[in-house]
Amino acid sequence: MTPALKNPSRSLLDIEDLGADGIIRILDLADHMAEVNRRPNPKVPALRGKTVCSVFFEDSTRTRLSFETAAKRLSADTMTFAVSQSSLNKGESLRDTIETIAAMGVDAFVVRHGSSGAPHLIDAWTQASVINAGDGWHAHPTQALLDAYTVRSALGRTGGLDGLRMAIVGDVKHSRVARSTAAAMRMLGVHVTVVAPRTLLPPDASDAFADAVTDRLDDVLADLDVLYLLRMQQERMNEALVPSLREYTTRFGLTTQRAAVLSPQTLIMHPGPMNRGVEIAVDPAELPGAVITQQVTNGIAVRMAVLFDLLGSGNTAPGAETADTNSDTSREGGSQ
Ligand code: CP
């Protein structure tokens, strides 16, 4: 039987689905969630009775833990599907697996998969919301949202990010983060330059992907508001795309010499995990503009905002109440 069509706004598969207005709506909601997270007891009952299931077919530290923390802070029940201990190993198909978990009563699947498009397939098989937590080289929409949120809050902005200049540097070809973050930033008014060796650029790196493309990092450094370093994804390279990691660092890494050229106000970002000594050859703790830890912290507020946006219809946004209501809500959440 063909399932009834799902309201597309009940899932988050690509950052483009949100558009600029949708991104700003989530970032504004994340401001309220960040306020919840600053409370002594950072828990509210906003998604009580909802169940969020993490289904990660690829390794993750930040995304999986921050989604699970976000769901718990909103009082949702959480399920973690352990791929290596599942009946997938007995030959059960992905579709049967998803339909089996859905039959237990799941409101949202948070899906990471090594194949581009896997969350879209899952979305077609279930009435639950599906959140793309990273698929192959394709997309990582919540990373893009937390990146935009981090820039906005670090610079004390509201609304969009008009007029900022950003460089995304490194292994763009294999990077779902580069695709989603570049798209989100451009929708918010940022001028995005992609900096990479030709061998690490995708075929659509020009107009569709960025405002400018170059292989000369030193030409753009001095004018940047945001320097975004990508991880060299050695596990996705099945051919030698750079002569050596040492040469890569010499031409594209953030070295002490390059850090000295940056304005002290330039934000330095990385989605993690970092290859220290490769794309970043200085200690980020010594860089005044580094906001890499803030990206991780903000990931919780942004993922709370995404979960609430998809599952919390009809409820008042947590953190948007009066101060008196805040303390009541916090106590109520804390009694869970
Ligand atoms: N940035 C990111 O997706 O990190 P994880 O792979 O640790 O989730």
Side-chain angles (χ1 to χ4, degrees), residues 12-17 58 63 111-120 131-145 172-183 209 236 303:
L12 176 58
L13 301 175
D14 289 294
I15 194 70
E16 291 83 355
D17 298 342
E58 231 189 35
T63 311
V111 178
R112 171 167 290 189
H113 203 287
S115 297
S116 298
H120 300 68
I131 303 170
N132 184 355
D135 62 326
W137 303 359
H138 171 240
H140 197 346
T142 60
Q143 179 71 44
L145 289 167
V172 179
K173 179 174 181 171
H174 301 97
S175 178
R176 56 195 175 213
V177 172
R179 286 179 184 283
S180 291
T181 293
F209 192 101
R236 295 197 205 277
R303 287 168 176 136

Side-chain angles (χ1 to χ4, degrees), residues 6 77 104 107 126 160 187 191 214 245 266 301 305 317 324:
K6 189 163 47 172
D77 293 323
M104 297 178 196
D107 297 287
T126 175
M187 282 190 269
H191 182 280
T214 180
L245 291 180
T266 304
D324 281 353

Side-chain angles (χ1 to χ4, degrees), residues 237-259:
M237 290 187 200
N238 48 19
E239 55 189 310
L241 296 174
V242 290
S244 70
L245 291 180
R246 192 170 181 174
E247 174 158 337
Y248 176 84
T249 306
T250 304
R251 290 188 58 204
F252 298 98
L254 181 58
T255 57
T256 307
Q257 293 80 1
R258 290 202 174 99

